[in-house]
Amino acid sequence: WEKNNCIIITGRGQAARGERRFVQRLSKEHKLPIYALMDADPWGMYIYSVIKQGSISLSYSEEKLATPDTKYIGLTVGDVEKFKIPKEVTIKLNTLDLKRLNELQSYEWFKHKKWQQEFQLMKDKNIKMELEALSKKGIRFITEEYLPRKIKDEDFLPWTTGSIGVFDHIRERMNRMPLPILSANGPSGLGPRLSQALIVEFDSFASAFLSFL
């Protein structure tokens, strides 16, 4: 982190509320750019959306947890050709992957043309990829080539401008619901300074990443 003047944060899969709040404060209070590095699969991409704009299950608290300026570095299926990543490190999509991928394609916040192209490419090639796949290019590939090039070229998948986010989507749905009825029995009805931050999906990968910076 000293060499690259950054902080690396891992959510160990889906980031906990404390980690997401910490990332939001790095962005809002310290004005650090936030980059997300996830597996190239529907699950990693959804985790990115939760960090960026919030989750459906915690919609009531997302204004204190979401970090709208988060940029998605990767991985992407498109990176296989762009960085000549060996195809033997890719993994075939399973039934659950395809089901989740279809759900992501329907979300308003993933409607940007480039996200839709990425989803379709994943379907067409029938592959996904884990972060560990980059080590096939060499143990220092991710720190010395992949991330620096992605950041320098601003090669991020864009967000749909003006789309309805998770928080707004849930609030809109809540506004259409009947108000709870309060009674004696309780409610019823609605049962060096850092220059950047990188969120990595898995702690094991983050540990390896840190050791080679």
Side-chain angles (χ1 to χ4, degrees):
W1 67 271
E2 290 179 333
K3 177 182 176 182
N4 291 278
N5 198 26
C6 69
I7 182 171
I8 299 174
I9 303 159
T10 174
R12 301 179 304 280
Q14 184 64 269
R17 281 171 283 185
E19 291 157 344
R20 290 170 55 203
R21 176 62 173 155
F22 178 59
V23 168
Q24 187 195 66
R25 293 189 65 183
L26 289 176
S27 175
K28 286 189 173 182
E29 298 175 24
H30 298 278
K31 310 303 179 186
L32 300 187
I34 308 295
Y35 303 115
L37 180 63
M38 309 291 175
D39 287 340
D41 64 22
W43 315 96
M45 292 168 174
Y46 180 72
I47 289 171
Y48 155 71
S49 77
V50 170
I51 292 166
K52 185 176 180 72
Q53 65 164 18
S55 69
I56 293 173
S57 61
L58 292 174
S59 60
Y60 60 87
S61 62
E62 289 314 314
E63 290 179 330
K64 293 183 179 179
L65 298 175
T67 307
D69 292 333
T70 305
K71 296 178 176 62
Y72 187 87
I73 283 187
L75 295 173
T76 69
V77 172
D79 287 338
V80 174
E81 298 296 333
K82 189 180 299 179
F83 291 91
K84 295 181 171 55
I85 298 169
K87 293 182 180 178
E88 63 263 25
V89 300
T90 61
I91 304 167
K92 286 188 177 182
L93 296 174
N94 59 41
T95 303
L96 285 176
D97 293 330
L98 287 168
K99 180 177 182 294
R100 194 73 179 107
L101 188 54
N102 287 331
E103 291 171 350
L104 261 59
Q105 282 186 296
S106 69
Y107 290 159
E108 286 294 325
W109 47 93
F110 277 125
K111 286 297 186 181
H112 193 284
K113 180 174 69 174
K114 290 191 175 181
W115 272 107
Q116 292 293 313
Q117 288 173 343
E118 174 65 17
F119 294 149
Q120 192 57 50
L121 184 63
M122 192 178 291
K123 281 184 175 181
D124 292 345
K125 292 185 175 294
N126 193 34
I127 60 171
K128 59 184 178 179
M129 188 166 52
E130 296 179 346
L131 289 173
E132 288 82 352
L134 293 179
S135 63
K136 189 72 174 179
K137 295 279 292 181
I139 199 68
R140 293 180 179 271
F141 171 75
I142 189 168
T143 58
E144 295 183 357
E145 183 174 346
Y146 182 81
L147 288 172
R149 180 173 159 188
K150 282 271 192 170
I151 294 172
K152 181 182 178 181
D153 295 345
E154 297 187 354
D155 185 9
F156 316 128
L157 281 176
W159 204 243
T160 302
T161 304
S163 67
I164 298 175
V166 168
F167 184 81
D168 292 327
H169 180 70
I170 296 300
R171 181 163 51 192
E172 184 179 276
R173 289 177 60 190
M174 291 287 282
N175 287 337
R176 295 200 299 264
M177 289 182 175
L179 291 174
I181 300 170
L182 297 178
S183 69
N185 295 322
S188 62
L190 286 180
R193 283 192 160 183
L194 299 172
S195 65
Q196 55 199 333
L198 172 70
I199 304 167
V200 182
E201 189 173 352
F202 294 113
D203 55 343
S204 58
F205 182 82
S207 298
F209 190 15
L210 276 169
S211 66
F212 288 101
L213 286 178

